[in-house]
Amino acid sequence: MDIDVNTQLCAVIGNPVRHSLSPLIHNTAFRVLGLNYVYLAFEVEDLEACLKGMRALGGFRGLSVTIPHKENIIKYLDELDSVTQKIKSANTVINENGKLIGTNTDGEGTIRAFERAGVKLEGKNILFLGAGGAVRAVAFAFADKVSPQKITILGRTPERLQKLISDLRLNFPYTVINYGFLSKDYKTLVESHDIIIQGTPIGMEGHSEDVLNFPFECLNSNHAVLDMVYRPLETELIKEARKRGAVTIVGTEMLIEQAGIQFELWTGYKPPLNEMRKALEIALSKSNTQS
Ligand code: NAP
């Protein structure tokens, strides 16, 4: 990659950010298509100053936004699409000549991951485990775009869960939205839902003290299961679901699809998803062998 006076800059901002795989994914895509872009990672504390700088720099085209800035960034942006306005959290910024446009690609990325796996979401009963930022983005996108029959969200902290449920019900009064708690037995819920989306960090490397208590025996070939966790590449939930004939979608598929949407927004080109996926899987399998 030759960097010159025309090189466009994209970056991920967060704190911490050194673990991010986004530079690898996006730089791979720029290289494959021969685009004059480069993608860096910036640890940011002062978000307002960061965005002022971005606005002022002509060649600064786009941002990925990660923890802890996804919610705070909203107030510094000039425009948001309608779902992002409802979610109140953005993971992507596009700089259109100094105008900063925010969007959230996690929801659409997840929809695309299901489409790629051949799973229809329309009219389905969808069960989310977790009530954090990622589940919020995906649940809003599902309610907005795929007409599910029912959405059920299982959380841990009552206030956070109830806030999410009341925001969803307020914005989508015609969608059936239920909730429950991860600490309770949720066998019958697994049986009565078609799509299961695991959105807690349980199962992630470094979280071995936390257990999901998932009733694996209730899974069958009518289920489709997505685990947002992608370190390790295949979680216990994914392995158990596959054993029982369910369609399984690993967390890297969501990550790649949402990155692909960002890539297209910044460059106008279709993302080379296969090469992006391959680079990500090689990096993750290397880090697996090292740990
Ligand atoms: P978050 O905002 O911190 O939310 C995490 C959720 O999990 C919260 O509801 C939290 O409950 C719950 N939780 C955490 N530990 C738990 C435990 N031991 N038992 C029960 N519930 C627990 O995080 P996030 O941004 O939504 O991310 C969630 C996961 O998805 C992370 O592993 C992240 O890496 C992954 N993710 C993947 C992608 C992808 O592209 N594949 C994208 C985004 C996120 P409380 O509310 O009680 O804290």
Side-chain angles (χ1 to χ4, degrees):
M1 184 185 294
D2 291 326
I3 291 177
D4 61 21
V5 289
N6 296 312
T7 303
Q8 300 273 308
L9 173 65
C10 294
V12 54
I13 57 164
N15 195 0
V17 83
R18 296 289 154 220
H19 63 286
S20 176
L21 291 162
S22 295
L24 171 73
I25 297 171
H26 285 291
N27 285 321
T28 299
F30 295 148
R31 207 174 305 125
V32 167
L33 294 194
L35 299 179
N36 195 356
Y37 282 76
V38 67
Y39 188 107
L40 301 176
F42 294 126
E43 209 152 81
V44 167
E45 280 191 18
D46 186 341
L47 187 58
E48 186 175 9
C50 162
L51 292 170
K52 240 185 194 169
M54 182 186 192
R55 229 184 262 282
L57 294 172
F60 203 154
R61 177 63 176 148
L63 284 182
S64 307
V65 186
T66 188
I67 291 169
H69 298 313
K70 287 185 186 186
E71 286 91 26
N72 285 342
I73 200 165
I74 295 288
K75 59 176 175 283
Y76 301 118
L77 301 177
D78 302 310
E79 205 176 292
L80 300 171
D81 62 78
S82 67
V83 193
T84 307
Q85 277 174 29
K86 291 173 185 156
I87 304 170
K88 298 191 178 80
S89 140
N91 73 343
T92 307
V93 179
I94 308 124
N95 185 357
E96 294 288 5
N97 302 316
K99 181 172 166 191
L100 302 186
I101 303 169
T103 188
N104 197 315
T105 59
D106 277 340
E108 183 58 31
T110 304
I111 293 171
R112 291 190 189 184
F114 277 98
E115 276 169 5
R116 190 170 295 277
V119 178
K120 286 208 172 359
L121 296 166
E122 289 76 10
K124 297 288 175 64
N125 294 327
I126 299 171
L127 180 65
F128 287 95
L129 311 186
V135 165
R136 184 178 174 89
V138 176
F140 269 84
F142 278 23
D144 192 60
K145 297 199 171 122
V146 304
S147 316
Q149 170 142 318
K150 179 170 73 186
I151 290 177
T152 306
I153 301 179
L154 303 182
R156 177 173 65 171
T157 306
E159 299 74 32
R160 197 173 187 190
L161 174 62
Q162 272 145 12
K163 172 85 175 84
L164 172 56
I165 297 296
S166 65
D167 287 352
L168 276 167
R169 286 180 175 163
L170 189 72
N171 283 286
F172 304 101
Y174 302 110
T175 306
V176 179
I177 296 162
N178 295 328
Y179 68 93
F181 290 94
L182 283 165
S183 51
K184 302 253 169 71
D185 182 342
Y186 52 91
K187 266 185 186 172
T188 52
L189 287 175
V190 171
E191 281 162 357
S192 61
H193 287 69
D194 316 285
I195 311 282
I196 318 278
I197 298 181
Q198 199 302 104
T200 77
I202 302 174
M204 191 161 111
E205 281 164 19
H207 283 252
S208 53
E209 70 285 0
D210 298 323
V211 210
L212 201 52
N213 285 324
F214 191 94
F216 298 124
E217 69 281 8
C218 299
L219 290 172
N220 59 50
S221 57
N222 296 320
H223 285 105
V225 178
L226 162 68
D227 196 335
M228 289 191 189
V229 170
Y230 55 83
R231 286 179 209 259
L233 262 167
E234 290 201 350
T235 59
E236 188 190 11
L237 173 61
I238 290 292
K239 287 181 186 155
E240 293 290 337
R242 184 178 301 133
K243 243 195 255 171
R244 290 165 173 84
V247 175
T248 54
I249 303 172
V250 292
T252 45
E253 285 304 300
M254 173 182 171
L255 186 63
I256 287 296
E257 292 288 352
Q258 69 78 28
I261 298 166
Q262 296 182 319
F263 178 88
E264 193 165 348
L265 288 168
W266 297 327
T267 67
Y269 288 89
K270 291 269 171 244
L273 293 178
N274 287 339
E275 287 86 350
M276 292 160 82
R277 180 181 294 108
K278 203 165 156 195
L280 176 63
E281 286 175 357
I282 291 172
L284 284 171
S285 56
K286 270 191 200 152
S287 78
N288 268 0
T289 27
Q290 280 161 7
S291 57

